[in-house]
Amino acid sequence: MFTDLMFRERRGELLPEGVAIDAQGDPTRDPSLARRGAVLSFGGHKGFALGLAMTALGVLAGSGEDAEGAGYLIMAIRPDLLVPLDDYRREVSAMIERLRSTPRQSGVEEIRIPSERALRERARRLRDGIDLDRAIYDALRSMAM
């Protein structure tokens, strides 16, 4: 989220309501004030717990020493060591279908699974090209010369 804050700050864009607080703990839509405060977790106390668990795992990747709290941890799990692979695939597919069949609120066209939007966006960008922010484009051009 820190990178998103810097990007929005550079572009002069506001944050959505309710996603950040400033250094005094007051709600803010200003990304520069949010960088000095905090970005709030999604999902209430359960979202906070999930975020805390992920941050704790990030310490394994060295993020505990980083002032910005950034680190990368890659985990690989072989499901077939725990359950037969065909059973795992069948159960996960059934779970996804149950999620997709959940009644949706008015105006919600589909229930997406994590990474679906990114995969669609990648396909679109491969087909149509990539739009670059002018400041990023200019910076890349100046580095290339």
Side-chain angles (χ1 to χ4, degrees), residues 54-66 69-75:
M54 296 311 297
T55 301
L57 287 172
V59 172
L60 296 173
S63 68
E65 298 174 13
D66 186 338
Y72 297 94
L73 174 67
I74 299 171
M75 294 175 58

Side-chain angles (χ1 to χ4, degrees), residues 94-104 111-114:
M95 177 186 61
I96 289 170
E97 288 310 310
R98 283 192 304 274
L99 288 171
R100 289 187 194 280
S101 66
T102 302
R104 297 183 294 276
I111 296 172
R112 288 192 317 252
I113 304 305

